[in-house]
């Protein structure tokens, strides 16, 4: 049996002239929560929003590429931090136990207060900074300003 090696890391610079790394190429995620694909798609949407204009003018600069990383850096760091916390404080201790585990305080609170039950799903499904496609066509719609 071969165990999966999990790395949670990120490139210090996601770009070079003519190159932009996003998703797993820029930041390796733990499989905890299955959020890696969410971040990759959000990286792609942010890149499209930021680079559409410069690409249409054939004038993408390193500053444009840097802007994508700056936009996505915080969500990546926070998500990886949550994953590492869950791995180190919940999953590893639970797997190391020889007796029946007790639910962590966070799960007890979520179970006790229904208003908190939406938070984990929202965090996993949408992340801390959801990205939305911005186009000229979308900007003309009445609900686009919402």
């Amino acid at each position: 049996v071969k165990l999966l090696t999990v790395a949670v890391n990120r490139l210090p610079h996601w770009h070079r002239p003519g190159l932009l790394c996003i998703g797993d190429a820029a930041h390796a995620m733990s499989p905890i929560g299955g959020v890696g694909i969410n971040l990759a798609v959000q990286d792609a949407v942010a890149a499209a929003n930021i680079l559409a204009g410069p690409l249409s003018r054939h004038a993408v600069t390193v500053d444009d590429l840097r802007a994508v990383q700056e936009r996505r850096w915080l969500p990546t760091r926070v998500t990886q931090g949550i994953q590492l916390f869950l791995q180190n404080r919940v999953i590893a201790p639970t797997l190391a136990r020889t007796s029946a585990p007790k639910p962590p305080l966070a799960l007890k609170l979520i179970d006790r207060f229904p208003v908190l039950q939406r938070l984990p799903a929202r965090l996993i499904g949408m992340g801390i900074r959801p990205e939305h496609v911005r186009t000229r066509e979308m900007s003309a719609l009445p609900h686009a300003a919402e």
Side-chain angles (χ1 to χ4, degrees):
V1 173
K2 181 157 172 64
L3 297 177
L4 172 68
T5 301
V6 175
V8 176
N9 55 30
R10 58 191 168 271
L11 295 175
H13 302 285
W14 299 5
H15 55 83
R16 291 194 174 153
L19 172 71
L20 175 65
C21 295
I22 60 173
D24 286 350
H27 46 76
M29 306 300 289
S30 162
I32 294 174
V35 296
I37 189 66
N38 294 6
L39 258 67
V41 169
Q42 290 180 10
D43 288 355
V45 171
N49 288 339
I50 292 167
L51 300 176
L55 282 168
S56 69
R57 296 185 302 274
H58 303 284
V60 177
T61 66
V62 172
D63 287 339
D64 297 322
L65 301 176
R66 184 179 302 112
V68 175
Q69 179 176 348
E70 289 173 359
R71 171 80 183 168
R72 299 301 305 154
W73 189 253
L74 178 65
T76 299
R77 286 185 56 206
V78 169
T79 302
Q80 287 178 330
I82 291 169
Q83 288 181 322
L84 290 172
F85 173 83
L86 291 173
Q87 174 62 40
N88 296 334
R89 300 295 291 252
V90 177
I91 294 172
T94 300
L95 293 175
R97 293 183 66 96
T98 56
S99 61
K102 296 178 183 173
L105 177 61
L107 287 180
K108 291 178 186 177
L109 290 172
I110 288 169
D111 188 48
R112 174 87 168 104
F113 299 102
V115 71
L116 298 177
Q117 292 174 359
R118 293 183 181 187
L119 292 178
R122 185 183 196 306
L123 189 61
I124 290 170
M126 298 180 70
I128 67 160
R129 180 182 288 152
E131 298 289 345
H132 304 281
V133 175
R134 294 187 319 252
T135 64
R136 282 180 275 200
E137 294 80 13
M138 291 297 292
S139 300
L141 296 175
H143 69 279
E146 297 174 3

